[in-house]
Amino acid sequence: MMKMNNIDANEFVNSIINTFDFKGAKDRSDITYSTDAIELYAIALKAEVSKVDIEKYLFSDNTYNSNDEKTIRGDKQESIISSCISEILYRQKKFGDNYPLTINNIGGFYVKAKKDFSDAQILYIQLLLCSSLTCCKPLLQDLTTEFEKISASALKGFLPQKAIVVQFGKNSEIKGDVKVKIREVASRMNADVNEKYIQDLRGSNEAGVDIVAWIPFDDLNSNQLVFYCQCGCGNDFTKKCGEPSRYNQFLSLNGIKGQIIVFFPYSLIADSGKIYFLGQLVNDSLLFERKRILEFCDIAECNQFDTFQKVKSLVS
């Protein structure tokens, strides 16, 4: 079996089944995280997963000091499992043909990976892995780097054709340290640099922005729609939300501020319309989560990306 970045298909399956991390920043009561875990579990097993299987998977490490404790924790576990099942049913409806699982809800609840995945379903699985980096550590760097490319593709699909999209993070097309990058992108959008705010920046790190985009006017005035974008994976993704706002100090756009956009691979829009973690997002930021990314992404373009092909090989 072919090795890919120090992980083969068997190791991939074992990492999901045996080492999914519920002890980090998120826990089993986080429904988005636990639902992602169940989906990956079903994809890895390639077999039908029942409600009982879900309970064993999520709560296999349980020990109880008394019958009362078992009853109390059992009620909470049942609530978590029911919420996860509701979320899976909602995702099936929300993502439609792009959802990589089939559901049998007659005479019990059963979920199973589809036999053959479409490219859109592979991209869903890749975003699922970007949301669950602890279970696929050998691919961590590849997943996070390529998520920026996926986000740039989605942004291009969302903005009008004349928009200019520049990757500014790990896949930066502008070489040099961060101050060189900021001055270069400012020159391209005809913006002024506030030098006093960037003088203390060091290194090649992008200072909180992974993608910069703007919609130019023919008059080339910097008073235009500009977008400062951050791409976040992993358990601490909400901590990155405030970073792009610094660019409204770095660059002067002749009377207008840039719009902050955050790209997260999680499924964050609930059936009720509520946005999970909304209180942790920066005010006035535009959110692209799993559904919106899939909606606007160029699937054919993503199919050319290296990690997309690795994920396809691992789950096929």
Side-chain angles (χ1 to χ4, degrees), residues 2-8 138-139 309-311 313-314:
M2 185 186 304
K3 281 264 186 179
M4 299 214 179
N5 255 34
N6 300 319
I7 187 169
D8 63 25
L139 283 179
Q309 291 298 326
K310 292 175 186 177
V311 172
S313 295
L314 288 171

Side-chain angles (χ1 to χ4, degrees), residues 167-236:
Q167 293 196 58
F168 208 59
K170 296 174 182 175
N171 305 292
S172 178
E173 58 193 69
I174 304 173
K175 305 307 177 185
D177 66 26
V178 62
K179 286 185 278 192
V180 169
K181 291 179 180 180
I182 289 171
R183 291 175 185 133
E184 172 61 24
V185 81
S187 174
R188 294 186 188 185
M189 65 171 70
N190 298 300
D192 294 323
V193 179
N194 295 318
E195 291 289 340
K196 67 179 180 180
Y197 290 114
I198 71 168
Q199 62 183 357
D200 293 330
L201 298 178
R202 296 287 183 270
S204 60
N205 187 281
E206 69 283 352
V209 163
D210 297 309
I211 304 165
V212 179
W214 62 97
I215 305 173
F217 289 99
D218 290 341
D219 58 26
L220 302 180
N221 194 290
S222 65
N223 182 269
Q224 60 196 335
L225 288 177
V226 174
F227 306 90
Y228 302 129
C229 310
Q230 172 65 254
C231 308
C233 302
N235 289 338
D236 61 348

Side-chain angles (χ1 to χ4, degrees), residues 228-258:
Y228 302 129
C229 310
Q230 172 65 254
C231 308
C233 302
N235 289 338
D236 61 348
F237 69 97
T238 56
K239 294 180 181 178
K240 297 186 174 185
C241 293
E243 294 179 359
S245 61
R246 294 191 293 169
Y247 276 70
N248 281 320
Q249 289 184 316
F250 297 164
L251 302 179
S252 178
L253 301 174
N254 204 5
I256 193 171
K257 289 186 175 182

Side-chain angles (χ1 to χ4, degrees), residues 14-80:
N14 289 333
S15 70
I16 291 171
I17 293 175
N18 298 320
T19 62
F20 207 95
D21 180 15
F22 289 105
K23 299 178 177 65
K26 295 179 179 294
D27 61 26
R28 281 158 281 212
S29 62
D30 179 338
I31 301 307
T32 61
Y33 189 63
S34 290
T35 303
D36 286 350
I38 294 165
E39 289 177 340
L40 279 172
Y41 183 56
I43 290 165
L45 278 185
K46 293 183 172 27
E48 203 167 54
V49 175
S50 68
K51 184 178 177 181
V52 172
D53 295 326
I54 291 171
E55 181 178 10
K56 290 178 180 178
Y57 181 54
L58 294 184
F59 302 103
S60 60
D61 59 343
N62 274 352
T63 57
Y64 308 101
N65 295 319
S66 67
N67 287 332
D68 286 344
E69 182 185 4
K70 183 176 181 179
T71 299
I72 293 169
R73 290 173 65 181
D75 290 343
K76 183 179 181 180
Q77 290 170 20
E78 180 62 31
S79 175
I80 290 171

